[in-house]
């Protein structure tokens, strides 16, 4: 009897530990540590107004990534640009904005992918059909960034929602001031990030976004001609196959080891002096960031934890909430002004000859 109880208990223990293993913490969004949420943002903001929101976004992207995995990188970078310039208010989407697809006014935005803008508009159309116009474009951008990470093999984290869309274009100067160029060293990167309330850990973790996607030769060919001595010699000659001279329009992958997988190999690249930009490689040179780079290269779970924390922090930069801003009807354009709305109303009244 005692023996049977004992084996029953150990079976129970075995079953419990198996259950724990199958609920692997890496895939459980609740197991991550999140920064404090800004007032007005909530993980379940659309629970009653648009319960299908997150599945609409994920299903669209699952399908879209099958034909273009590069879209994941495009969407992740879009969220970063949106948040760094004037806050996560979807100003990056406005046609005619300094970093939007219209004027293409500032160097960093020239290379945002048109497919990413198109996907946001298509997803918003699906959401509007299901729920009406209740979800902001800024929230859609944040959700697509999360799914781009998780569907590429990265952490599946929770996104605080409730952002409102901005009413102002970002100026060219704003864009240039807040998005540091790839030629930046850590000192310059930190001063840009510190200005936004982000720290050294955030810099190293968020730069891990370069584990997917592409770069144009012009973003790093200053390190090939003349050759940067901090770059691995084999890697430099490998890059010169794609970028044989300065200023070609060719592109290459950001992470040479696993270009389309969201993992910690980007940091392994840095350890091997195979980072693409000065802004990447200098994090392994600078003593303030080097230990963090090494930790992430050794421990992917740690990288995922820190990435989640910093992404959620970044995703709350200068957000508009409550009654500030608006919910755009068209993510690429501000809603017509009140005056503009009044005109058709007057027209209708005129047509029905109320007077
Ligand atoms: C810390 C400062 C950063 C600098 C200087 C920087 C710079 C760049 C540059 C120059 C490119 C290549 C553009 C091109 O030539 O086409 C790029 C691509 C990319 N960046 Fe960053 N970046 C930074 C931070 C981030 C952050 C925080 C994220 C996201 C968390 C991110 C995600 C990406 C992605 C996914 C791509 C590939 C885009 C694509 O394939 O379309 N970057 N970045
Ligand atoms: C970092 O870059 C700035 C210019 O952007 C330069 O003034 C500074 O000397 C550089 N710092 C180091 C440590 O290389
Ligand atoms: C890159 O561009 C150059 C000139 O623009 C071209 O000659 C070369 O074939 C291209 N290389 C690759 C690998 O695409
Ligand atoms: C490459 O383009 C930059 C910017 O347009 C220009 O300043 C530079 O002179 C060009 N370099 C070469 C070698 O063509
Ligand atoms: C959305 O706005 C952009 C920019 O004004 C415009 O080009 C586009 O046609 C609009 N889309 C729709 C569906 O109205
Ligand atoms: C590299 C660069 O500056 N490209 C364009 C990006 O936007 C600015 C503003 O229009 C243009 O002057 C540049 O030609």
């Amino acid at each position: 009897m005692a023996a049977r109880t004992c084996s029953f208990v150990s079976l129970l223990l075995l079953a419990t530990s198996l259950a724990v293993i199958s609920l692997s913490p890496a895939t459980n969004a609740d197991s991550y540590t999140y920064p404090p949420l800004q007032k007005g943002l909530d993980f379940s903001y659309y629970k009653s107004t648009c319960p299908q929101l997150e599945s609409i976004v994920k299903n669209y992207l699952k399908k879209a990534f099958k034909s273009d995995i590069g879209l994941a990188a495009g969407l992740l970078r879009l969220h970063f640009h949106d948040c760094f310039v004037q806050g996560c208010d979807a100003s990056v989407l406005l046609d005619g904005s300094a970093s939007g697809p219209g004027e293409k006014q500032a160097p960093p935005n020239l290379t945002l992918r048109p497919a990413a803008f198109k996907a946001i508009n298509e997803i918003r159309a699906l959401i509007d059909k299901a729920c009406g116009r209740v979800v902001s474009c800024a929230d859609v951008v944040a959700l697509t960034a999360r799914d781009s990470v998780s569907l590429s093999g990265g952490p599946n984290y929770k996104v605080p929602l409730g952002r409102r869309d901005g009413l102002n274009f970002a100026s060219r100067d704003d864009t240039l001031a807040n998005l540091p160029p790839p030629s930046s060293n850590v000192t310059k990167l930190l001063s840009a990030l510190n200005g936004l309330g982000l720290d050294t850990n955030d810099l190293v973790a968020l730069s891990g976004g370069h584990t997917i996607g592409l770069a144009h030769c012009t973003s790093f060919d200053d390190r090939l001609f003349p050759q940067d001595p901090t770059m691995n010699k084999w890697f430099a000659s490998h890059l010169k196959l794609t970028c044989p001279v300065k200023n070609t329009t060719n592109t290459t992958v950001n992470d040479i080891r696993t270009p389309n997988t969201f993992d910690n190999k980007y940091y392994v690249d840095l350890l091997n002096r195979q980072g693409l930009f000065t802004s990447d490689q200098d994090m392994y040179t600078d003593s303030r960031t080097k230990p963090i780079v090494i930790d992430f290269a050794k421990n992917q779970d740690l990288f995922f934890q820190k990435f989640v924390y910093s992404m959620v922090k970044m995703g709350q930069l200068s957000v508009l909430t409550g009654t500030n801003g608006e919910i755009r009807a068209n993510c690429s354009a501000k809603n017509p002004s009140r005056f503009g709305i009044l005109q058709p109303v007057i027209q209708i009244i005129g047509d029905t000859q109320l007077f």
Side-chain angles (χ1 to χ4, degrees), residues 100-349:
E103 290 178 15
K104 294 183 175 166
Q105 294 290 344
N109 43 335
L110 265 185
T111 51
L112 289 172
R113 293 192 196 222
F117 294 98
K118 188 165 162 266
I120 299 290
N121 281 330
E122 289 180 3
I123 292 168
R124 246 304 286 269
L126 294 175
I127 295 167
D128 285 6
K129 219 181 193 177
C131 308
R133 194 209 299 171
V134 293
V135 180
S136 68
C137 301
D139 279 344
V140 175
V141 171
L143 284 172
T144 61
R146 189 273 310 277
D147 289 344
S148 296
V149 168
S150 69
L151 293 172
S152 302
N156 185 24
Y157 58 92
K158 298 187 292 183
V159 181
L161 300 167
R163 295 169 190 78
R164 305 264 297 173
D165 298 324
L167 303 171
N168 301 317
F169 292 108
S171 72
R172 178 174 203 271
D173 287 349
D174 258 7
T175 306
L176 288 178
N178 289 301
L179 290 170
S183 57
S184 310
N185 59 26
V186 166
T187 300
K188 196 165 169 182
L189 292 169
L190 281 177
S191 76
L193 268 74
N194 290 343
L196 295 168
L198 299 174
D199 61 25
T200 310
N201 282 304
D202 297 320
L203 170 64
V204 183
L206 291 173
S207 296
H210 291 167
T211 181
I212 56 174
L214 299 175
H216 289 78
C217 293
T218 45
S219 295
F220 58 84
D221 62 11
D222 58 320
R223 302 185 65 208
L224 300 178
F225 314 103
Q227 200 163 313
D228 182 339
T230 67
M231 186 185 281
N232 170 275
K233 286 198 176 57
W234 170 83
F235 187 58
S237 52
H238 166 81
L239 290 177
K240 281 178 180 169
L241 298 176
T242 304
C243 319
V245 292
K246 230 174 173 308
N247 291 349
T248 77
T249 55
N250 299 342
T251 58
T252 192
V253 296
N254 280 335
D255 169 13
I256 190 178
R257 286 182 167 69
T258 50
N260 296 321
T261 305
F262 196 100
D263 57 16
N264 68 336
K265 293 294 191 293
Y266 161 82
Y267 301 99
V268 177
D269 297 338
L270 301 187
L271 258 53
N272 287 283
R273 302 182 192 284
Q274 294 165 351
L276 212 45
F277 312 137
T278 301
S279 61
D280 296 319
Q281 196 59 56
D282 199 50
M283 291 194 299
Y284 188 61
T285 307
D286 194 291
S287 61
R288 288 167 291 182
T289 44
K290 182 174 182 170
I292 310 173
V293 169
I294 295 172
D295 283 349
F296 289 172
K298 283 199 273 198
N299 185 345
Q300 178 164 282
D301 284 345
L302 179 69
F303 163 51
F304 282 5
Q305 282 168 34
K306 301 291 184 179
F307 182 79
V308 165
Y309 188 91
S310 296
M311 274 297 276
V312 175
K313 201 166 157 187
M314 182 184 90
Q316 301 188 76
L317 290 176
S318 302
V319 286
L320 299 169
T321 57
T323 54
N324 293 320
E326 64 184 8
I327 306 290
R328 266 179 227 152
N330 173 348
C331 289
S332 307
K334 286 185 279 186
N335 292 341
S337 66
R338 264 188 227 131
F339 182 70
I341 288 170
L342 266 180
Q343 281 177 327
V345 170
I346 289 165
Q347 184 106 46
I348 289 164
I349 291 170

